[in-house]
Amino acid sequence: GWLIDDLDDGGLQFDNALAGVAVLHLYEKTQNPDYLKAVQRSADWAMPRRIVTNWNYNSFSVYLLAEAYRVTGDLRYLESAQEKALLGVLPGQLKAGPQTGRWADPHNARPAYHYIMIRGLAALAKVTPQEHPDRKQLIDALKLALQARNPDFKKGILNTDSTIEALTLIQMDRDGL
């Protein structure tokens, strides 16, 4: 019933995920069931969205779905987040060469988008069970991504919101990751 439609370019994944995660945090503080229902509607909307060529758009849905799984325990959210990460975020990451750990396209190689993707992958890694067969691939991708951008901190922090949020997620669960 949305008046606005991104015509499947993936742009609404950004808005939906950030609003959904904000309401999720509100639910965690208030325990208001209406907020949880809103989060579930947001996650339910994200699940069938097609994977798009913009890696960071997909990572927004990964972030929302991983967080929705963390709060609800609904395995559909975890499975969807894993699929979106494995097919819509990780394939764009360079695994060798001088730009190892960055994303292949110039747009997503920029620091602002890089940490948006780290945030999504970190949220997913945090909730992926230790024995899950894709966990190692997630952790390896996170390590490469962090190594690729850690030297940037000498110049300052770009996109502080997603950068600090991504690093906080990792720091809070450093024993588990």
Coordinates of all heavy atoms in Angstrom, one line a residue, residues 1 5 10 13 43 54 62-63 67 90 108 113 115-116 121 137 147-148 170 172:
G1 N 0.8 -1.2 0.0 CA 0.0 0.0 0.0 C 0.8 1.3 0.0 O 0.3 2.3 0.3
D5 N 7.2 4.1 -4.6 CA 7.7 2.8 -5.0 C 9.1 3.1 -5.7 O 9.2 4.0 -6.5 CB 6.8 2.2 -6.1 CG 7.1 0.8 -6.4 OD1 8.2 0.3 -6.1 OD2 6.2 0.1 -7.1
G10 N 15.9 -0.9 -5.4 CA 16.5 -1.2 -4.1 C 16.6 0.0 -3.1 O 16.9 -0.2 -2.0
Q13 N 15.1 0.0 0.4 CA 15.7 -0.9 1.4 C 16.4 0.0 2.4 O 16.4 -0.3 3.6 CB 16.6 -1.9 0.8 CG 16.0 -2.9 -0.1 CD 17.0 -4.0 -0.5 OE1 17.5 -4.7 0.3 NE2 17.2 -4.0 -1.8
A43 N 10.4 -5.9 8.5 CA 11.3 -7.0 8.2 C 10.5 -7.9 7.1 O 11.1 -8.4 6.2 CB 11.6 -7.9 9.4
N54 N 23.3 -2.7 -6.3 CA 23.9 -1.8 -5.3 C 24.1 -2.6 -4.0 O 23.2 -2.8 -3.3 CB 23.1 -0.6 -5.1 CG 23.8 0.5 -4.3 OD1 24.6 0.1 -3.4 ND2 23.5 1.7 -4.5
V62 N 20.0 -6.6 5.1 CA 20.7 -7.6 6.0 C 20.7 -7.1 7.4 O 20.4 -7.9 8.3 CB 22.2 -7.8 5.4 CG1 23.0 -8.6 6.4 CG2 22.1 -8.5 4.1
Y63 N 21.0 -5.8 7.6 CA 21.1 -5.2 8.9 C 19.7 -5.3 9.6 O 19.6 -5.8 10.8 CB 21.5 -3.8 8.8 CG 21.6 -2.9 10.0 CD1 22.1 -3.4 11.2 CD2 21.1 -1.6 10.0 CE1 22.1 -2.6 12.3 CE2 21.2 -0.8 11.1 CZ 21.7 -1.3 12.3 OH 21.8 -0.5 13.4
E67 N 18.8 -7.9 12.8 CA 18.3 -7.3 14.1 C 16.9 -7.8 14.4 O 16.6 -8.1 15.6 CB 18.3 -5.8 14.0 CG 19.7 -5.2 14.1 CD 20.3 -5.3 15.4 OE1 20.0 -4.5 16.3 OE2 21.2 -6.2 15.6
L90 N 28.4 -9.9 -0.2 CA 29.8 -10.5 -0.3 C 30.4 -10.6 -1.7 O 31.6 -10.5 -1.8 CB 29.8 -11.8 0.5 CG 29.5 -11.8 2.0 CD1 29.6 -13.1 2.6 CD2 30.4 -10.8 2.7
N108 N 30.5 1.9 -4.1 CA 30.5 1.2 -2.8 C 31.9 1.0 -2.2 O 32.0 0.6 -1.1 CB 29.8 -0.2 -2.9 CG 28.3 0.0 -3.0 OD1 27.7 0.4 -2.1 ND2 27.8 -0.4 -4.1
Y113 N 30.0 4.1 2.3 CA 29.2 2.9 2.0 C 29.9 1.7 2.5 O 29.2 0.7 2.9 CB 29.0 2.8 0.5 CG 28.2 4.0 0.0 CD1 28.9 5.0 -0.8 CD2 26.9 4.2 0.3 CE1 28.2 6.1 -1.2 CE2 26.2 5.3 -0.1 CZ 26.8 6.3 -0.8 OH 26.2 7.4 -1.2
Y115 N 31.4 1.2 5.4 CA 31.0 1.0 6.8 C 29.5 0.6 6.9 O 29.1 0.0 7.8 CB 31.4 2.1 7.7 CG 32.8 2.0 8.1 CD1 33.8 2.7 7.4 CD2 33.2 1.0 9.0 CE1 35.2 2.5 7.7 CE2 34.5 0.9 9.3 CZ 35.5 1.6 8.7 OH 36.8 1.4 9.0
I116 N 28.7 1.1 6.0 CA 27.3 0.6 5.9 C 27.2 -0.9 5.7 O 26.5 -1.6 6.4 CB 26.5 1.4 4.8 CG1 26.2 2.8 5.3 CG2 25.2 0.7 4.5 CD1 25.7 3.8 4.2
L121 N 26.9 -6.6 7.9 CA 27.6 -7.9 8.0 C 27.9 -8.2 9.5 O 27.8 -9.3 10.0 CB 28.9 -8.0 7.2 CG 28.7 -7.9 5.7 CD1 30.1 -7.8 5.0 CD2 27.9 -9.1 5.2
Q137 N 32.7 -17.5 6.4 CA 32.7 -16.6 5.3 C 32.4 -15.2 5.7 O 33.0 -14.2 5.3 CB 31.8 -17.1 4.2 CG 31.9 -16.3 2.9 CD 31.0 -16.8 1.8 OE1 30.3 -17.8 2.0 NE2 31.0 -16.2 0.7
Q147 N 40.3 -4.4 7.7 CA 41.7 -4.2 7.4 C 41.8 -3.2 6.2 O 42.8 -2.4 6.2 CB 42.4 -5.5 7.0 CG 42.5 -6.4 8.2 CD 42.9 -7.8 7.8 OE1 43.0 -8.2 6.6 NE2 43.2 -8.7 8.8
A148 N 40.9 -3.2 5.3 CA 40.9 -2.3 4.2 C 40.7 -0.9 4.5 O 41.3 0.0 3.9 CB 39.9 -2.7 3.1
I170 N 30.7 -4.6 16.5 CA 31.9 -5.5 16.6 C 32.5 -5.6 17.9 O 32.8 -6.6 18.5 CB 32.9 -5.2 15.5 CG1 32.3 -5.4 14.1 CG2 34.2 -5.9 15.6 CD1 33.0 -4.8 12.9
M172 N 31.2 -4.8 20.8 CA 30.3 -5.4 21.8 C 30.3 -6.9 21.8 O 30.0 -7.6 22.8 CB 28.8 -4.9 21.6 CG 28.6 -3.5 22.0 SD 27.0 -2.8 21.5 CE 25.9 -4.0 22.2

